Amino acid sequence: METMIKLFTYGTLQHEDIQENLFGRMLQGTPEILIGYALKKINIEEEFGIVAYDILVETGNPEDTINGIIYEITTKELHQADLYEGFHYKRVEVNLQTNEKAWAYSAAS
């Protein structure tokens, strides 16, 4: 059986159509809170112009929290998510409020 990996999401990876296109399935998630991070906006050039997306930025301040959803995905699906997020994002390991570790996508620079 394949090892499942935890992925903390806070944006487009929560959208059912994105999940269906990326993974070929709907993900079953659990609400979770990420501590010590804030959301900023990043402008990404898309086919039809500039689009603003949320991006995690580590603050180290325990009062900064982000509500998100944690999913369990396969290694293959994690690599598909890496490709989807592109070079503006990097995958980082984060500690969640429940003391679980998960991957999340943060600012690349």
Side-chain angles (χ1 to χ4, degrees), residues 5-48:
I5 296 161
K6 294 186 185 317
L7 179 65
F8 177 82
T9 65
Y10 54 91
T12 58
L13 286 174
Q14 294 178 6
H15 299 180
E16 293 181 357
D17 57 332
I18 303 273
Q19 292 177 9
E20 192 67 48
N21 287 337
L22 263 186
F23 310 124
R25 68 183 181 106
M26 302 299 306
L27 302 179
Q28 297 299 313
T30 307
E32 184 57 89
I33 296 173
L34 178 60
I35 297 172
Y37 284 81
L39 285 180
K40 305 278 189 216
K41 291 287 187 192
I42 182 174
N43 291 324
I44 297 178
E45 191 168 341
E46 299 271 334
E47 188 178 354
F48 302 107

Side-chain angles (χ1 to χ4, degrees), residues 27-89:
L27 302 179
Q28 297 299 313
T30 307
E32 184 57 89
I33 296 173
L34 178 60
I35 297 172
Y37 284 81
L39 285 180
K40 305 278 189 216
K41 291 287 187 192
I42 182 174
N43 291 324
I44 297 178
E45 191 168 341
E46 299 271 334
E47 188 178 354
F48 302 107
I50 302 290
V51 180
Y53 289 99
D54 287 333
I55 197 161
L56 287 180
V57 178
E58 187 171 9
T59 64
N61 181 346
E63 292 180 16
D64 291 332
T65 61
I66 297 169
N67 292 313
I69 298 177
I70 194 157
Y71 297 108
E72 288 199 351
I73 61 173
T74 66
T75 303
K76 180 182 176 205
E77 289 169 335
L78 185 63
H79 291 300
Q80 289 167 296
D82 287 345
L83 292 172
Y84 168 77
E85 292 294 356
F87 65 88
H88 294 285
Y89 293 84

